[in-house]
Amino acid sequence: ETGVTQSPTHLIKTRGQQVTLRCSSQSGHNTVSWYQQALGQGPQFIFQYYREEENGRGNFPPRFSGLQFPNYSSELNVNALELDDSALYLCASSLARGLAAIDTSTDTQYFGPGTRLTVL
Amino acid sequence: AQRVTQPEKLLSVFKGAPVELKCNYSYSGSPELFWYVQYSRQRLQLLLRHISRESIKGFTADLNKGETSFHLKKPFAQEEDSAMYYCALSGAMGAQKLVFGQGTRLTINP
């Protein structure tokens, strides 16, 4: 069983640029969630994708967007980077049977190691 | 609004002493509560969830709806328990969309 992987490990961008972060889900998982973790803070939910459709979004502006592909890998895109976007970006994959059901046996989220983004 | 508060950023106890990491939440419905742990140089991982009522690595947590708390406890701390601990809640947005607290760094002294 392959765990969640993310790329790149870290990167540096300048204000106003655009960035794409990638996540490969754990084998068999159909749901991916993205989180932003600022220094000294807990992760903050950005959005979630379930079977290639956005399934909920946190309090983040539209310049944060995502994709989920048929193989359930995912991308997080951030446009017009701001200094406050500097953070660790985490993705987490899980297996969900449905949008509303709470499946305690299968909906554990497995986190990737994160991508450290620095905006100068 | 959903909110998770971990009042202690840092907690230091001696090996063999009891440990309690505090977590309070704010949510008007029936939440699901979790504890996640991050050991040094490792990724964030689930420690336990209230719905399963398990004891993992000697840790337990009881959901107290009256006090809106979900404190994590262990009767005898071990050095390998040193880590960052996050309390998290899922509620209105669904079981897999987590609201995290800011975390507590637990250090177990020998």
Side-chain angles (χ1 to χ4, degrees), chain A residues 9 15 18-19 22 25 30 39 43 45 51 53 60-62 65-66 71 83 104 109 113 115 117 119:
Chain A
T9 305
R15 199 168 47 180
Q18 179 267 343
V19 69
R22 294 179 173 83
S25 298
N30 57 13
L39 200 61
F45 176 74
R51 294 185 174 177
E53 298 285 332
F60 280 81
S65 63
N71 66 354
L83 297 179
T104 61
Q109 294 197 39
T115 294
L117 172 64
V119 182

Side-chain angles (χ1 to χ4, degrees), chain A residues 88-103:
Chain A
L88 181 69
Y89 288 85
L90 300 169
C91 78
S93 74
S94 55
L95 174 65
R97 293 185 309 183
L99 296 183
I102 297 177
D103 183 342

Side-chain angles (χ1 to χ4, degrees), chain B residues 53-73:
Chain B
R53 303 189 69 79
E54 292 176 303
S55 172
I56 307 295
K57 298 185 178 182
F59 284 98
T60 59
D62 291 319
L63 179 61
N64 185 324
K65 292 187 178 181
E67 296 183 358
T68 60
S69 67
F70 188 57
H71 303 327
L72 183 68
K73 300 177 184 179

Side-chain angles (χ1 to χ4, degrees), chain A residues 4 31 33 35 37 40-43 45 48 55-57 94 96 102 104 107-109 111-113, chain B residues 9 32 34 36 38 43-46 49 51 84 86 93-103:
Chain A
V4 179
T31 304
S33 303
Y35 294 84
Q37 186 174 19
Q41 302 297 317
F45 176 74
Q48 181 185 89
N55 179 38
R57 187 180 184 92
S94 55
I102 297 177
T104 61
D107 66 354
T108 297
Q109 294 197 39
F111 282 82
Chain B
K9 289 197 95 166
E32 186 169 3
F34 306 81
Y36 279 79
Q38 187 167 26
R43 60 189 65 190
L44 197 60
Q45 59 186 289
L46 179 67
R49 59 200 304 170
I51 203 166
M84 195 74 185
Y86 294 95
M93 290 193 291
Q96 300 187 49
K97 299 153 193 172
L98 299 170
V99 176
F100 284 88
Q102 70 173 9

Side-chain angles (χ1 to χ4, degrees), chain A residues 1-5 24-29 93 110-111, chain B residues 43:
Chain A
E1 187 176 84
T2 306
V4 179
T5 59
S24 179
S25 298
Q26 185 161 311
S27 177
H29 285 180
S93 74
Y110 294 85
F111 282 82
Chain B
R43 60 189 65 190

